[in-house]
Amino acid sequence: MVLPALMLFVAVVLIPLAMTVLLSFNDWGQYKGIEQVFILKNWREIWEDDYFLEMFLRTFRIAVLATLITALLGAPEAYILNRMQGRWKGFFLLVILGPLLISVVARTLGWALLFGGANGVVNKALMSLGVIGAPIPFMFTETGVVVALAHVMMPFMVLSVWAALQRVDPQIENAAMSLGAGHATILRRIVLPQIMPGILSGAIIVFSLSASAFATPSIIGGRRLKVAATLAYDEFLNTLNWPLGAAVAVLLLVALVLIVVGSNALIERRYAEVFR
């Protein structure tokens, strides 16, 4: 029964990945095109050129910041959503899930319109509220990419935390309140430890999707602010250096796999020690 699904997985995932890995070891020249030889030229170029290091550092920096923002805002959102009753709960759940029904390109273009320039909607609103004294450059900056990515990825964090909250017995909070615990103490010592697995799983999802995102960095960041995904795209379609683009894509995939597997191992070890 598993064989058809396994064959489909091999055909659409493993074979293209294997072909991409093999392509990363080929040679390329402007006049000779792709030459099917086994060399380490592309990997050596990535290792020795600080330009690629800067791209990957920027990629992971943006992903970490977007993950932190979604965790700080998404966990309270999920908690408030879980406390709602009746039709309001369904309405706000639809509001949270609504962005997932819209293309990521359309959402990102919306942020581009909001950011604008010095006279953009966001800058005007912040200045009218007295939050900032001068316009903040959002377009073609890491700040704008982080804000747009955090909005795009927020539903994944909210859903992860909300799923964890479904397993929390509300009577525990009532028992703590009857024993004299304040709301801050209940949140810090009872609710937060129980929803931490949801926050961590949501963080892994958001980080992985943010680090491999293409549409949002390419629209908000433009050509002046490249990340690993847009760099691989440029190598494939602009310079036509497919082997180098394949090496960048493979390196990004390997880095993400190592980070996710390492994070899962640390989380499992942590909770194994706690519940031992």
Side-chain angles (χ1 to χ4, degrees):
M1 296 295 290
V2 182
L3 185 59
L6 180 61
M7 293 177 62
L8 180 63
F9 176 77
V10 171
V12 302
V13 177
L14 294 185
I15 292 179
L17 281 178
M19 294 176 65
T20 305
V21 172
L22 292 176
L23 179 61
S24 68
F25 292 100
N26 292 162
D27 193 13
W28 177 86
Q30 186 174 359
Y31 300 103
K32 66 181 180 181
I34 299 175
E35 198 174 1
Q36 294 185 352
V37 294
F38 189 88
I39 59 172
L40 298 175
K41 171 186 173 182
N42 303 304
W43 294 93
R44 191 180 302 112
E45 182 176 351
I46 293 175
W47 179 261
E48 296 176 352
D49 194 340
D50 292 338
Y51 172 76
F52 295 97
L53 175 62
E54 180 185 354
M55 294 301 104
F56 278 95
L57 289 178
R58 178 183 296 151
T59 299
F60 293 124
R61 181 168 60 246
I62 289 174
V64 168
L65 292 175
T67 303
L68 290 176
I69 292 175
T70 55
L72 291 175
L73 299 180
E77 279 187 36
Y79 181 75
I80 295 172
L81 177 67
N82 188 63
R83 304 273 298 191
M84 288 181 176
Q85 300 295 331
R87 62 173 180 263
W88 289 109
K89 186 174 185 177
F91 172 75
F92 281 102
L93 181 60
L94 179 62
V95 170
I96 293 172
L97 296 180
L100 294 179
L101 305 177
I102 306 173
S103 168
V104 64
V105 176
R107 281 180 282 168
T108 305
L109 287 173
W111 273 109
L113 294 175
L114 290 174
F115 288 151
N119 296 320
V121 176
V122 175
N123 274 318
K124 283 185 176 179
L126 293 176
M127 293 179 68
S128 62
L129 293 173
V131 178
I132 58 176
I136 298 176
F138 287 105
M139 289 299 295
F140 314 120
T141 63
E142 289 188 23
T143 303
V145 175
V146 169
V147 172
L149 271 178
H151 171 255
V152 170
M153 302 299 171
M154 189 67 70
F156 298 102
M157 178 62 72
V158 173
L159 289 177
S160 297
V161 178
W162 188 56
L165 282 167
Q166 302 305 303
R167 298 190 293 269
V168 177
D169 188 357
Q171 297 303 320
I172 298 178
E173 296 183 47
N174 296 332
M177 191 176 298
S178 66
L179 294 174
H183 291 290
T185 303
I186 293 174
L187 290 174
R188 179 172 54 88
R189 302 191 62 179
I190 296 177
V191 177
L192 184 60
Q194 296 187 80
I195 67 172
M196 188 57 69
I199 295 176
L200 294 175
S201 61
I204 291 175
I205 295 172
V206 172
F207 178 83
S208 301
L209 294 177
S210 299
S212 58
F214 170 76
T216 301
S218 62
I219 294 174
I220 302 297
R223 300 190 61 81
R224 292 187 295 176
L225 191 76
K226 290 185 180 180
V227 294
T230 56
L231 176 62
Y233 173 86
D234 285 342
E235 294 297 338
F236 269 101
L237 296 183
N238 290 337
T239 62
L240 301 180
N241 190 347
W242 287 24
L244 183 58
V248 172
V250 170
L251 183 58
L252 177 62
L253 175 62
V254 171
L256 286 177
V257 169
L258 291 177
I259 292 173
V260 170
V261 171
S263 300
N264 278 328
L266 290 176
I267 293 170
E268 291 176 0
R269 183 183 304 175
R270 169 67 176 171
Y271 279 91
E273 293 176 354
V274 170
F275 295 106
R276 182 177 299 171

